[in-house]
Amino acid sequence: MNRLNFRTEQRDGATVLELQGEMDISEGDRFQQELFTAEREEPPVLVLDLRGLTFLDSTGLRMVLEADSRARKANRRLAIIPGPEVVHRVFLIAMLDKRLDFIDDLSVLGLDDADQA
Amino acid sequence: MPTKLEARFNAGQEAPAAARGWLRALSKDLDPNVLDDIKLLVSELVTNSLRHARIREQDHITVTIIMSGDRVRVRVCDRGIGFVPHPVVPTIYTSGGWGLYFVGRLSDRWGVSRDRATCVWFEVDRASHTAKRTWKMSPSRTT
């Protein structure tokens, strides 16, 4: 049974990976694979939309951190739309809310559809 | 009189979610903030057992909850190889070690015991977790 659903789309000039459901060790491999797939095209901006998550523990946190490191090394941007409080507090407790690139919505990225070739 | 609840979960990848699902039954007894903290920490400790204890899928992970008027004590046990907890604060450069870091930050007390099983236990004081908390960019706990 999948506890986590993914949807990837091009929106406002960014690649957006939406997560819905619960993220724990049972979905770690699938999340990793979805990230690798989204990164394969080397999008300048990859957005993780966590608003549909109902749970996230350190397995998910670790994968977000690793994706952030890959993006920085490749000079790409990884932006994150925060999840509900029960999810976002994991980043706050880990004191990563300033280290990671959290955004309110896509409009703050300053991109538009015209950028999307 | 403390209330004791115990459940065993197959040591597969579904164990953390199964344990969280079991904990939902405590929603009548515990403040939502306390329950959210316990769900996260149990998920972390069950995941640690799966990752580090070298247990087989047919083995079990046992979660025990003891609720009293002022605190909740939680114990997660496995028959794996055991481990020595390292008081390491993870950094952005080390992607591992977050599970026990969360246990340290969210619980009021925690520790490890080894007998026939390896058990990680933690306690949450109800009073300090009932109030809505704001997490700050500070290394000290907000209670």
Side-chain angles (χ1 to χ4, degrees):
Chain A
M1 184 179 78
N2 293 338
R3 299 186 183 283
L4 191 59
N5 292 312
F6 303 94
R7 188 168 71 176
T8 305
E9 62 182 21
Q10 302 298 315
R11 202 191 309 159
D12 298 339
T15 298
V16 181
L17 175 56
E18 284 182 19
L19 284 73
Q20 291 196 324
E22 299 182 38
M23 175 59 221
D24 68 10
I25 191 173
S26 66
E27 296 290 355
D29 289 345
R30 290 180 65 233
F31 183 28
Q32 186 80 281
Q33 203 51 53
E34 291 290 332
L35 283 167
F36 286 158
T37 301
E39 292 166 2
R40 196 172 299 145
E41 301 295 323
E42 301 183 350
V45 182
L46 173 60
V47 178
L48 292 182
D49 185 345
L50 307 184
R51 288 175 293 183
L53 281 182
T54 55
F55 180 82
L56 175 136
D57 63 14
S58 66
T59 301
L61 175 79
R62 201 176 71 243
M63 289 179 176
V64 171
L65 269 179
E66 289 172 356
D68 180 69
S69 291
R70 290 193 298 273
R72 286 170 192 265
K73 279 179 190 158
N75 207 23
R76 291 184 282 105
R77 182 174 182 184
L78 179 77
I80 306 164
I81 302 177
E85 185 183 346
V86 72
V87 169
H88 191 57
R89 74 187 189 122
V90 171
F91 295 97
L92 295 177
I93 298 164
M95 297 186 286
L96 290 169
D97 54 321
K98 297 291 189 288
R99 165 60 163 75
L100 296 168
D101 185 3
F102 283 100
I103 60 173
D104 291 334
D105 54 53
L106 295 182
S107 65
V108 303
L109 293 173
L111 303 169
D112 60 47
D113 289 322
D115 295 334
Q116 192 179 335
Chain B
M1 187 71 180
T3 304
K4 181 177 177 180
L5 301 166
E6 191 165 278
R8 294 200 314 167
F9 302 95
N10 289 332
Q13 303 257 304
E14 295 295 317
R20 295 196 304 274
W22 175 67
L23 290 170
R24 273 189 218 116
L26 302 180
S27 60
K28 295 192 297 290
D29 304 298
L30 295 176
D31 177 90
N33 287 329
V34 175
L35 187 54
D36 279 346
D37 287 351
I38 290 174
K39 271 188 197 169
L40 176 61
L41 299 188
V42 166
S43 196
E44 297 293 352
L45 293 179
V46 172
T47 301
N48 269 5
S49 289
L50 297 175
R51 280 215 173 102
H52 305 303
R54 293 188 203 160
I55 47 181
R56 299 161 301 173
E57 189 144 353
Q58 60 267 35
D59 293 331
H60 292 97
I61 297 168
T62 304
V63 181
T64 308
I65 311 272
I66 300 172
M67 291 185 288
S68 59
D70 59 347
R71 71 182 60 170
V72 183
R73 184 181 175 90
V74 181
R75 194 173 61 210
V76 177
C77 299
D78 64 60
R79 297 289 180 93
I81 58 172
F83 74 105
V84 177
H86 298 289
V88 172
V89 177
T91 73
I92 54 172
Y93 305 107
T94 56
S95 60
W98 291 103
L100 286 179
Y101 171 80
F102 288 146
V103 174
R105 283 213 73 194
L106 285 177
S107 71
D108 292 285
R109 288 160 291 281
W110 73 280
V112 180
S113 65
R114 278 180 221 88
D115 191 357
R116 286 189 302 175
T118 299
C119 301
V120 182
W121 61 268
F122 66 87
E123 289 183 347
V124 169
D125 293 340
R126 289 177 185 242
S128 64
H129 287 249
T130 299
K132 188 171 176 65
R133 289 160 300 160
T134 301
W135 294 102
K136 297 175 181 170
M137 294 292 288
S138 160
S140 60
R141 283 199 52 218
T142 305
T143 54

